[in-house]
Amino acid sequence: MTSVALINPQQAHAAITAIYANTVKPGTMAGHRYRLTVREETRSTAQNSRMWAMLEDVSRQITWHGRKLSKEDWKHIFSASLKKQDAVPGIDGGFVVLGQSTSKMTVREMGDLMTLMEAFGAEHEVRFTAPECWEAA
């Protein structure tokens, strides 16, 4: 499998041309079949670090409807809010949020998620304590 980051139009064109010339054209001429998938990059390591630092701050500082929630619980709340997702009754009672894994979010979606977290934090007087994680995100 070939995976290439496409960064700008010139580099993207060169990479796609090289993949075609070196792999796809000779392979298809030999009877092989390929599947081409192009997708946005998923979240960066810096974004992931920043998200977890923010979730830690929110989980320590916010009592939500009389409960202290874990970082993971807050991650589900924020990602469900971002994606406007739904909750369904669970098998044994309660509700299950039908959410999206943050590991599958694009760089842009993670940026939107952190903007949502910042807005929530501002409304609820959360003091975010790990700005060093924010620079590269």
Side-chain angles (χ1 to χ4, degrees):
M1 183 169 85
T2 301
S3 179
V4 177
L6 304 176
I7 299 166
N8 61 54
Q10 297 80 14
Q11 179 268 340
H13 183 265
I16 291 167
T17 301
I19 292 167
Y20 174 75
N22 298 324
T23 304
V24 176
K25 183 178 180 182
T28 54
M29 289 176 72
H32 302 290
R33 295 174 62 162
Y34 296 91
R35 178 174 308 276
L36 175 64
T37 303
V38 178
R39 61 179 171 79
E40 285 188 59
E41 285 186 309
T42 55
R43 70 177 185 196
S44 69
T45 302
Q47 284 181 310
N48 189 50
S49 295
R50 179 182 184 217
M51 176 192 71
W52 284 107
M54 293 174 76
L55 289 168
E56 175 70 28
D57 291 334
V58 171
S59 71
R60 279 189 296 102
Q61 296 174 45
I62 299 293
T63 300
W64 192 244
H65 296 276
R67 296 179 58 186
K68 291 301 273 184
L69 301 176
S70 70
K71 296 180 293 191
E72 291 78 12
D73 293 335
W74 279 108
K75 182 181 79 153
H76 294 302
I77 289 170
F78 285 121
S79 65
S81 177
L82 178 70
K83 294 298 184 172
K84 306 294 184 233
Q85 291 161 336
D86 200 5
V88 296
I91 294 171
D92 296 321
F95 288 89
V96 178
V97 174
L98 305 174
Q100 176 187 1
S101 169
T102 56
S103 65
K104 294 179 180 164
M105 286 186 180
T106 65
V107 170
R108 182 179 356 179
E109 289 171 321
M110 275 299 281
D112 292 344
L113 180 67
M114 287 184 286
T115 299
L116 173 66
M117 293 168 68
E118 289 169 348
F120 177 88
E123 290 174 8
H124 292 86
E125 299 180 2
V126 173
R127 184 174 181 276
F128 291 111
T129 59
E132 67 277 0
C133 296
W134 297 23
E135 299 306 318

